[in-house]
Amino acid sequence: MPIRVLLADDQTLLRASFAMLVASAGDMEVVAEAGTGRQAVDLARSARADLVVMDIRMPDLDGIEATRLIAADEDLAGVKVLVLTTYDTDEHIVDALRAGASGFLVKDIRPAELLDAIRTVAAGDSLLSPGPTSRLIARFLRAPDASMSAVGGPDGLSERERQVLTLVARGFNNTEIAEALGLSPLTAKTHVSRIMGKLGARDRAQLVIVAYESGLVTPGAV
């Protein structure tokens, strides 16, 4: 079955470009387009989308609040949200991850990267770019109003699990974690799953937030 994609962006030309790109892939299809956050929420329900490519800055309802509404709706439990940001100017990516987004992309990515990201997120994984993710989240958590909910790292994790969580926060995928720690990819995946279970995290994106807020990964780390 093709991945059913909903495109949410207030720029009509950009949205049309994304639609053409998605339509060119044989394993996905555009089922709806939204120009506002409110439309995105409504169409996520009516169009039965598998994934929403969500812009942050939109009229009526911004992408963060739209993401929060989608993530909180039990009827939309299977819908994934992939947030788009301009990175250099958009200061809301951490809020988007907290709201329930499964990852983010910058808008100057290559076309193939967008398609790969849609496949990754639709499959249930999170998309976190290693360098930019760490630097961006670190910048937010240095802000005066950033919340640091704990000190010294999440409770209840083994030393190995803390090592794995640190690498997740830096954007490593399971294969890269395995190589860094001398594990098999399956063992690395098992560690990540157990960590999510212990911390009550929905996906890897939430693990990144937990790692930074707890102090396990210090702001500025890459």
Side-chain angles (χ1 to χ4, degrees):
M1 295 290 291
I3 302 168
R4 298 173 60 83
V5 180
L6 164 60
L7 299 174
D9 196 299
D10 65 332
Q11 298 183 46
T12 304
L13 183 59
L14 185 59
R15 196 171 66 240
S17 298
F18 288 154
M20 291 178 61
L21 176 62
V22 172
S24 71
D27 59 343
M28 60 188 73
E29 63 177 332
V30 177
V31 296
E33 297 182 31
T36 72
R38 182 66 63 186
Q39 289 177 353
V41 175
D42 293 340
L43 287 171
R45 295 191 185 98
S46 62
R48 294 167 49 210
D50 298 316
L51 179 143
V52 182
V53 177
M54 182 82 75
D55 186 24
I56 288 183
R57 298 183 183 277
M58 289 188 291
D60 183 22
L61 191 70
D62 65 34
I64 293 173
E65 186 58 29
T67 297
R68 184 175 292 111
L69 291 175
I70 290 173
D73 191 329
E74 293 183 358
D75 293 334
L76 299 176
V79 180
K80 307 294 184 181
V81 178
L82 176 62
V83 168
L84 289 174
T85 174
T86 53
Y87 181 63
D88 290 333
T89 59
D90 202 322
E91 298 292 320
H92 303 297
I93 189 62
V94 169
D95 287 339
L97 295 178
R98 286 187 179 126
S102 292
F104 79 94
L105 290 174
V106 291
K107 287 187 175 180
D108 61 354
I109 58 168
R110 295 189 300 271
E113 289 179 301
L114 175 58
L115 297 180
D116 286 343
I118 290 173
R119 296 184 183 105
T120 297
V121 173
D125 294 324
S126 295
L127 187 80
L128 299 168
S129 304
T133 298
S134 298
R135 290 192 296 270
L136 183 57
I137 292 176
R139 191 170 76 231
F140 278 99
L141 294 180
R142 284 199 301 266
D145 59 349
S147 67
M148 299 296 289
S149 56
V151 177
D155 294 333
L157 297 185
S158 67
E159 182 59 32
R160 175 62 82 190
E161 288 169 339
R162 287 169 180 262
Q163 292 172 345
V164 171
L165 179 56
T166 298
L167 295 179
V168 170
R170 292 174 179 167
F172 283 43
N173 60 35
N174 290 340
T175 300
E176 292 166 338
I177 291 172
E179 292 175 352
L181 299 180
L183 307 171
S184 71
L186 179 59
T187 299
K189 181 178 180 179
T190 299
H191 277 306
V192 173
S193 297
R194 288 177 178 171
I195 293 169
M196 286 195 288
K198 286 185 176 182
L199 300 181
R202 179 176 51 250
D203 54 30
R204 296 170 81 102
Q206 288 195 337
L207 289 183
V208 173
I209 299 299
V210 170
Y212 275 97
E213 289 192 326
S214 69
L216 183 63
V217 177
T218 57
V222 176

